[in-house]
Amino acid sequence: MFQQILDPIAGSLVISALCAALPLVLLFVLLGVFKVKAPKAALAGLALSLILAIVGWQMPVNQALSATAAGIFYGLFPILWILVNALWIYRLTVATPWFEVLGRTIRSISNDLRILSILIAFCFGALLESLAGFGAPVAISAAMLMAAGMKPLKSAVVSLLANTAPVAFGAMAAPIIALNGVTGLPLNELSSMAGRQTPFIALIVPLLLVFIVDGRRGVKQTWPVALVAGVAFGVAQFVTSNFFAVELTDVVAAVVTVAAVLLMLKFWQPKEIVGMEGAVEGAAEAEHTAVAVETGSAALAGKSAATPAVGHSAAGHPAAATAVPTDNSRPEPRQIWMAIAPYLIIIAVFSVAQIPFVKNWLGQVGSVAFAWPGLDITDSAGKPVAATKFKLDHFKATGTLLLLSGLITMALYKITASRGLRIYRDTLGQLRWTIVTVTAVLALAFVMNLSGQTTTLGFALASAGGFFAILSPLIGWIGVALTGSDTSSNSLFGQMQATAAEQTGLSPVLMAASNSSAGVMGKMVSLQNLAVASAAVGLDGAEGTLFRKLIGWSLGLLALITVLIFLQSTPVLGWMVP
């Protein structure tokens, strides 16, 4: 048996905490300063953490290696099992004409760039984030906005800023599921807490988008539809994460928001139409503007054809090319239903899985709980560490349900088995470096957590007392800004946040969820996402420019959610904590 030690280095908690932070410092310096690729940086951090665990924290070698294996396994299942199958479904749709039909449906709704920024970057981007992630929402929405007439740099800024509200529940709630895995806190409580934080950001983001597109005039003229979008998304996010299924949070929120905006536009239109960049027409001349926008879009699309937008994986490697759309005509109703079918299938499959007797059956025949071999660990107080226990939900796992949804999508779209397997193989190839990164980061997290390094850091941070409620969101922001992943940030810092919260008398659920909710504000300025946006709009080397344009918005939103989290840690809003 191995018992964790709080202050193994020179008998000092402060010195021990500084040493425990070294793997994270190394990871961040390699990523942020030396711009080392994420897989190499993660492996370097893992190696240093192993050395510290064995030499500094006196963890037996066999248990340190077993902890590494446990982290790798958890990275593969359920995290990567979710991500691979989610991205596979997305690639299935791209491989058919129905993805372009979906894009046409959205683009045919309005000729106003301000409204399109909400529909494409905010709503459709959230839908893509719920499934694909890995830069796909930014790359695709930026390309679509360019086709509608928006300038490349502004398209990138809008797409990056919009990719904020859905990230905490992205990839079928992979960040929240990872947080549950490393902390052992109840998944439903973490989901509920995050669902009581991120909706407040969702209320603001659409207003910021129209401000970026058209300044104060944009806010003045389109605030009603921006407010409807923000409220619809926030309410749907809250309801789904608290009372339905955490995995479906972003899917439901995106679909509900699109429906709300479409309904709004049937009864309300802005007084002026902002089409091609700088072109403004009165509502009575909307038809002429539509022609101008369509012509300009075709021209832009033709120009972009020579240099197609390219998405990137989370590791920064090229993904599938994204062609810039040209046709803005409205599809027939049957075509629209076929285009949105994969998302409806996912909702249906997950809804059926939530039916009590189905859920119970899946839990009985498709769930195995076991102690990870080779691990026998107690914390410094002598209590068994929860992370040594695993629960393998192979049938009811989110990734398995996504796989089933993908098979149904293949049947509906008449995609042959050989083609579906080829697309799956290509998906694995696209994610090969992401797989290395995620497994290495999860292994690093497990080694730090099980050796006691994370606990040492948590106790040291707890010395900040009530101030930790303000420090906690900043830690999450730094994690996502440097790793480019809310899942990775949660894996690294989730347990530390929970430990520090317990020592300061704060709610572990509140602080752990805050790592995820506040962390997403760093997504728009992460190196990986900036690189994706730059490539998507054909502006190679524009990462620095995009960073300067977005850092203010990122820090401003971080400040707002920090105030909310601080109030939730006090009696003022403490009633919001489950």
Side-chain angles (χ1 to χ4, degrees):
M1 186 187 71
F2 166 62
Q3 184 170 4
Q4 296 175 348
I5 307 171
L6 276 180
D7 52 357
I9 311 299
S12 168
L13 181 62
V14 174
I15 296 176
S16 298
L18 291 175
C19 290
L22 288 178
L24 301 178
V25 172
L26 176 64
L27 175 64
F28 293 160
V29 169
L30 289 177
L31 281 174
V33 179
F34 294 102
K35 298 181 180 178
V36 173
K37 295 293 185 183
K40 294 180 180 179
L43 288 171
L46 170 60
L48 180 55
S49 179
L50 273 170
I51 294 171
L52 286 170
I54 296 169
V55 177
W57 272 256
Q58 302 171 30
M59 189 179 196
V61 175
N62 66 314
Q63 297 219 45
L65 294 177
S66 183
T68 304
I72 292 173
F73 180 82
Y74 189 80
L76 292 171
F77 197 97
I79 303 301
L80 284 166
W81 184 234
I82 296 172
L83 302 183
V84 169
N85 288 312
L87 188 57
W88 175 58
I89 293 177
Y90 161 69
R91 289 174 67 96
L92 284 176
T93 64
V94 173
T96 69
W98 298 113
F99 183 78
E100 170 55 21
V101 174
L102 181 61
R104 281 171 50 200
T105 302
I106 294 176
R107 297 193 304 274
S108 68
I109 294 169
S110 174
N111 299 314
D112 193 310
L113 287 180
R114 300 166 300 186
I115 294 175
L116 286 178
S117 70
I118 295 173
L119 282 171
I120 294 174
F122 186 67
C123 301
F124 190 48
L127 201 56
L128 290 173
E129 180 65 36
S130 71
L131 289 179
F134 303 109
V138 172
I140 294 169
S141 60
M144 292 175 72
L145 288 172
M146 283 179 63
M150 190 177 291
K151 290 180 180 178
L153 191 64
K154 188 172 288 186
S155 298
V157 171
V158 167
S159 299
L160 284 164
L161 182 60
N163 189 224
T164 300
V167 170
F169 295 98
M172 292 293 160
I176 302 297
I177 292 173
L179 195 60
N180 159 253
V182 298
T183 63
L185 296 171
L187 178 63
N188 64 315
E189 292 186 11
L190 291 171
S191 169
S192 297
M193 190 68 254
R196 300 174 192 188
Q197 294 171 336
T198 56
F200 292 95
I201 299 301
L203 288 172
I204 301 170
V205 169
L207 291 167
L208 296 182
L209 296 182
V210 298
F211 178 80
I212 290 173
V213 173
D214 196 33
R216 293 182 179 179
R217 180 184 63 183
V219 176
K220 183 178 180 181
Q221 293 184 356
T222 61
W223 69 264
V225 70
L227 191 61
V228 165
V231 170
F233 194 94
V235 170
Q237 204 175 46
F238 165 75
V239 171
T240 309
S241 62
N242 276 263
F243 306 110
F244 188 37
V246 59
E247 298 90 349
L248 287 179
T249 298
D250 279 348
V251 177
V252 173
V255 171
V256 167
T257 306
V258 169
V261 171
L262 292 182
L263 184 62
M264 173 78 172
L265 293 176
K266 284 185 176 292
F267 302 99
W268 175 93
Q269 289 287 337
K271 292 182 179 180
E272 295 177 326
I273 301 295
V274 176
M276 288 290 291
E277 199 77 37
V280 180
E281 302 290 345
E285 302 175 33
E287 185 176 349
H288 297 294
T289 305
V291 174
V293 170
E294 187 172 353
T295 305
S297 299
L300 268 173
K303 180 180 178 181
S304 302
T307 55
V310 178
H312 282 64
S313 73
H317 298 275
T322 305
V324 178
T326 60
D327 189 356
N328 292 338
S329 61
R330 186 172 182 82
E332 298 176 359
R334 178 186 171 278
Q335 292 179 316
I336 294 175
W337 283 109
M338 285 293 289
I340 65 174
Y343 309 103
L344 297 178
I345 289 170
I346 290 172
I347 293 175
V349 168
F350 277 85
S351 298
V352 170
Q354 294 301 314
I355 297 174
F357 79 89
V358 176
K359 188 174 183 178
N360 293 335
W361 180 80
L362 288 174
Q364 291 172 359
V365 302
S367 182
V368 177
F370 61 96
W372 187 262
L375 292 179
D376 185 8
I377 302 172
T378 61
D379 60 22
S380 57
K383 298 178 181 178
V385 176
T388 60
K389 306 293 183 182
F390 270 76
K391 186 178 181 182
L392 183 61
D393 295 324
H394 44 287
F395 280 172
K396 71 174 185 178
T398 301
T400 305
L401 296 179
L402 282 172
L403 178 63
L404 175 60
S405 301
L407 293 174
I408 297 173
T409 299
M410 282 179 57
L412 180 66
Y413 283 171
K414 298 180 180 179
I415 298 175
T416 62
S418 60
R419 191 182 184 195
L421 285 172
R422 186 168 63 251
I423 294 173
Y424 203 99
R425 181 197 64 198
D426 293 342
T427 301
L428 289 173
Q430 177 186 336
L431 294 178
R432 61 189 183 279
W433 293 112
T434 300
I435 291 171
V436 174
T437 302
V438 171
T439 52
V441 168
L442 265 296
L444 166 62
F446 269 66
V447 170
M448 290 189 65
N449 291 345
L450 292 173
S451 67
Q453 295 172 58
T454 301
T455 304
T456 298
L457 273 173
F459 271 80
L461 288 172
S463 61
F467 181 72
F468 182 72
I470 295 177
L471 186 63
S472 172
L474 178 61
I475 293 172
W477 183 90
I478 292 173
V480 177
L482 291 175
T483 66
S485 166
D486 200 34
T487 300
S488 297
S489 178
N490 286 348
S491 300
L492 285 172
F493 295 136
Q495 180 61 40
M496 182 184 69
Q497 297 267 25
T499 300
E502 288 176 349
Q503 297 306 309
T504 54
L506 299 170
S507 166
V509 170
L510 171 62
M511 294 296 100
S514 297
N515 191 83
S516 187
S517 300
V520 301
M521 309 310 158
K523 184 84 170 178
M524 70 181 82
V525 293
S526 68
L527 288 176
Q528 292 91 324
N529 245 22
L530 292 175
V532 167
S534 297
V537 298
L539 295 175
D540 293 333
E543 290 88 351
T545 302
L546 290 172
F547 178 84
R548 289 190 293 274
K549 286 184 174 293
L550 286 162
I551 185 64
W553 297 114
S554 179
L555 293 175
L557 290 172
L558 174 64
L560 286 176
I561 200 166
T562 299
V563 171
L564 172 66
I565 291 167
F566 175 74
L567 292 176
Q568 288 176 333
S569 71
T570 69
V572 177
L573 294 180
W575 51 269
M576 296 180 69
V577 180

